[in-house]
């Protein structure tokens, strides 16, 4: 991570070089359904309870914004990665408010930096701030639940002369902050995680990373349990169809997936670590797909910009 100063002393940017910064996320968040898996607005609450009944999660959305999505959670992964690096550097007073630029944050989470991307970033920050989470995880003593949002607040600074985005701050909620700075609370994620385009794919990777880890023998999970852990609102038949499609595409970083059965004959999925050659080939495929998506996005923004200019130039 490098530190860069802006000519305006009002700003003091902490700019992480994400290609050199290990991605980190919270263990207890990775294995449970905290985020919507769809890009369209979700208002239906997520309600999850572990098989033993001890861990439960309820996520609710504000109608004006919708529920925070698994793509919005990239911002939290970025924050966890930055704070973890600061902790490794021996910084004791870790800030709950992080300061950066919109450009560097978007690049850090492998997004485009055009006008539409900045609009999507603002919408993501609003969803992270307004989504309400109640859970039994890390509840205060003598209470059985904690309630919080992902962010306590955020700001975007705009250059007064050019009207272009300049800097931004993100203030993590106390629940999120405490989870990041606690010992042994974070897991390292593969850098290609940000390249996964599907919400269910992302959820499956997070679950596998938490449970399968580096087990050479693999990890088996019942399909029914995966459905609950991802928080997908798809019906079982549709969920099974999407799962088979993801298994066929075989694009999860670190892991391959295959259909199997438990000893009782219940449908299940086996997650196994990839070999080095397979992982390298997958990285090439994901990068190529990312470049294609970025090219399509740039063309769409160019067309939108041209149409805007033409509409403004028409006589009234």
């Amino acid at each position: 991570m490098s530190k860069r100063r802006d000519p305006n002393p009002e700003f003091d940017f902490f700019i992480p070089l994400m290609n050199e910064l290990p991605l980190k996320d919270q263990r207890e968040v990775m294995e449970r359904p905290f985020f919507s898996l769809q890009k369209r607005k979700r208002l239906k609450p997520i309600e999850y309870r572990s098989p033993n009944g001890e861990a439960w999660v309820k996520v609710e959305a504000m109608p004006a914004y919708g529920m925070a999505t698994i793509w919005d959670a990239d911002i939290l992964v970025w924050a966890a990665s930055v704070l973890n690096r600061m902790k490794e550097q021996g910084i004791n007073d870790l800030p709950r408010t992080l300061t950066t630029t919109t450009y560097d944050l978007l690049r850090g989470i492998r997004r485009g930096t055009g006008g539409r991307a900045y609009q999507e970033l603002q919408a993501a920050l609003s969803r992270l701030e307004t989504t309400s989470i109640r859970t039994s995880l890390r509840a205060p003593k003598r209470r059985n639940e904690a309630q919080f949002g992902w962010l306590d607040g955020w700001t975007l600074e705009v250059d007064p002369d050019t009207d272009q985005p300049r800097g931004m701050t993100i203030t993590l909620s106390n629940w999120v902050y405490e989870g990041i700075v606690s010992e042994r609370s974070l897991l390292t994620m593969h850098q290609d995680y940000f390249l996964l385009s599907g919400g269910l794919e992302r959820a499956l990777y997070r679950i596998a990373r938490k449970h399968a880890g580096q087990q050479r023998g693999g990890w088996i999970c019942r399909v029914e349990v995966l459905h609950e852990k991802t928080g997908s609102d798809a019906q079982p038949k549709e969920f099974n169809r999407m799962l088979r499609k993801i298994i066929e595409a075989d694009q999860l970083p670190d892991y391959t997936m295959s259909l199997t059965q438990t000893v009782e004959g219940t449908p299940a999925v086996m997650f196994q670590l990839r070999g080095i050659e397979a992982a390298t080939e997958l990285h090439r495929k994901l990068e190529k797909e990312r470049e294609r998506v970025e090219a399509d996005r740039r063309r769409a923004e160019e067309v939108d910009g041209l149409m805007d200019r033409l509409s403004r130039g028409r006589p009234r």
Side-chain angles (χ1 to χ4, degrees), residues 57-103:
V57 174
K58 183 171 184 179
V59 185
E60 296 179 287
M62 181 178 288
Y65 299 102
M67 184 179 295
T69 72
I70 202 163
W71 295 274
D72 300 340
D74 290 353
I75 297 171
L76 303 178
V77 173
W78 172 86
S81 305
V82 172
L83 287 172
N84 184 71
R85 173 56 62 87
M86 294 172 70
K87 184 163 57 172
E88 289 178 343
Q89 291 175 335
I91 299 174
N92 295 321
D93 189 15
L94 298 176
R96 196 154 64 90
T97 296
L98 296 173
T99 305
T100 184
T101 67
T102 47
Y103 176 87

Side-chain angles (χ1 to χ4, degrees), residues 4 6 8 10-16 72 74-76 78-79 82 95-109 111-113 117-129 151 153-159 164-172:
R4 185 175 71 203
D6 189 89
N8 186 336
E10 178 184 352
F11 295 98
D12 192 9
F13 298 131
F14 291 94
I15 308 299
D72 300 340
D74 290 353
I75 297 171
L76 303 178
W78 172 86
V82 172
R96 196 154 64 90
T97 296
L98 296 173
T99 305
T100 184
T101 67
T102 47
Y103 176 87
D104 283 287
L105 175 56
L106 288 169
R107 295 302 296 170
I109 59 178
R111 306 283 177 86
T113 55
Y118 287 109
Q119 294 172 5
E120 292 173 353
L121 175 61
Q122 292 183 59
L125 292 168
S126 294
R127 287 189 293 267
L128 288 169
E129 183 180 12
L151 301 179
W154 54 274
T155 64
L156 289 178
E157 301 291 342
V158 177
D159 189 294
Q164 294 298 308
R166 275 186 73 209
M168 61 180 295
T169 65
I170 301 172
T171 302
L172 302 172

Side-chain angles (χ1 to χ4, degrees), residues 280-296:
T280 302
E281 179 59 28
L282 174 62
H283 174 74
R284 286 199 211 97
K285 288 169 58 178
L286 291 173
E287 279 288 359
K288 189 174 182 180
E289 177 63 14
R290 182 187 70 84
E291 291 169 1
R292 184 191 67 77
V293 171
E294 279 298 310
D296 289 346

